[in-house]
Amino acid sequence: MSPLPKRALLAITSYHGPFYPNGDNTGLYYTEALHPYTVLTAAGFQVDLASETGEYGIDPHSVTKTALTDADALVYNDKQNDFNQKLAQIKKASDLDPTAYGLFFASAGHGTLFDYPKAKGLISIAESVWARGGVVSAVCHAPAILPHIKDQATGKSIINGRTVTGFTDKGEVELNLMDKIKELGLVPITQGAVQAGATYKEPEGAFDVFTVVDGRLVTGANPPSAHATAVKAVEAFDKL
């Protein structure tokens, strides 16, 4: 049994500004936080939600009828639901004690490409979790934070020499977003991982459920993988 606190920090992107070619804002991909929250709480974790600035916004593309299952929609439309209540009272990362957490899970949405690489508060929590032997996990676009989380023992990214996954380039192309990402000077997940010295693996289909576990590092490829990634993160924690 792990000596670490059975408490998880669920990171949320604070960026909720314009991104899509039609002018729509991006932000949090709703189920990429909801599903991990559900898994973690069911496994007995206390879960705090935090963003870099203490603000958030939901990507409208993540809460359409096609993006949400009926069960997801019931939760989304219930403002008294525990997850929605915690989201509404989201914390600012720098206000938290990093040593309170044994597991760091980064949720996603394209907003993470904007703020995660320079989210010092979230990064410091993840670095503390890693340094104390805890689990760091990220899904879809959230691995944008991983190259910037340093291993205190090596001074290099925690993904250096490890294997990860995340949202694929072909997925960006399928969504007609790769040109926009390049136009804005954002770093695709694949590029960031390789530049940090990681081996990047991807699913056959951009939206197939796909996870990679490399010791205490657990990553997932896309929105459908959020649940499975959290399950694998809990399993990794239970092995500590």
Side-chain angles (χ1 to χ4, degrees):
M1 190 172 187
S2 172
L4 293 163
K6 198 167 185 179
R7 191 179 194 101
L9 190 286
L10 182 54
I12 308 288
T13 179
S14 59
Y15 182 83
H16 50 98
F19 169 67
Y20 292 98
N22 67 354
D24 283 353
N25 287 354
T26 185
L28 165 67
Y29 198 97
Y30 185 74
T31 56
E32 290 179 342
L34 171 63
H35 292 174
Y37 178 83
T38 302
V39 170
L40 290 165
T41 53
F45 282 82
Q46 291 180 287
V47 183
D48 293 329
L49 275 59
S51 73
E52 186 65 14
T53 65
E55 299 177 355
Y56 79 99
I58 295 173
D59 187 317
H61 295 232
S62 74
V63 290
T64 62
K65 288 184 178 180
T66 54
L68 296 176
T69 65
D70 289 345
D72 294 333
L74 282 174
V75 174
Y76 175 67
N77 291 310
D78 178 7
K79 301 310 175 189
Q80 300 307 310
N81 178 274
D82 184 55
F83 172 74
N84 291 329
Q85 289 283 305
K86 286 208 169 187
L87 194 55
Q89 299 167 19
I90 192 167
K91 301 175 186 294
K92 184 177 180 180
S94 60
D95 290 340
L96 301 175
D97 174 8
T99 64
Y101 303 98
L103 188 151
F104 177 93
F105 192 103
S107 69
H110 277 92
T112 60
L113 298 180
F114 291 84
D115 75 323
Y116 274 8
K118 52 190 176 185
K120 293 181 179 179
L122 292 174
I123 289 168
S124 69
I125 295 172
E127 288 180 341
S128 172
V129 169
W130 188 261
R132 289 178 289 109
V135 172
V136 172
S137 184
V139 68
C140 199
H141 289 90
I145 200 170
L146 298 178
H148 310 279
I149 301 170
K150 303 301 182 185
D151 185 324
Q152 294 176 7
T154 66
K156 299 179 180 180
S157 167
I158 63 170
I159 65 173
N160 182 267
R162 293 180 178 270
T163 302
V164 299
T165 190
F167 200 65
T168 65
D169 287 353
K170 62 186 176 184
E172 304 290 12
V173 173
E174 285 181 28
L175 296 174
N176 296 313
L177 291 173
M178 184 59 88
D179 289 344
K180 190 68 175 179
I181 288 170
K182 290 180 178 178
E183 174 192 326
L184 293 169
L186 302 172
V187 179
I189 298 305
T190 52
Q191 180 181 327
V194 172
Q195 287 177 343
T199 298
Y200 173 83
K201 287 189 176 181
E202 64 180 52
E204 184 176 342
F207 293 93
D208 293 347
V209 173
F210 187 76
T211 62
V212 171
V213 179
D214 190 334
R216 298 184 288 118
L217 180 66
V218 183
T219 49
N222 47 42
S225 303
H227 176 93
T229 305
V231 169
K232 295 292 187 183
V234 170
E235 291 175 353
F237 184 88
D238 286 343
K239 291 177 181 177
L240 296 177

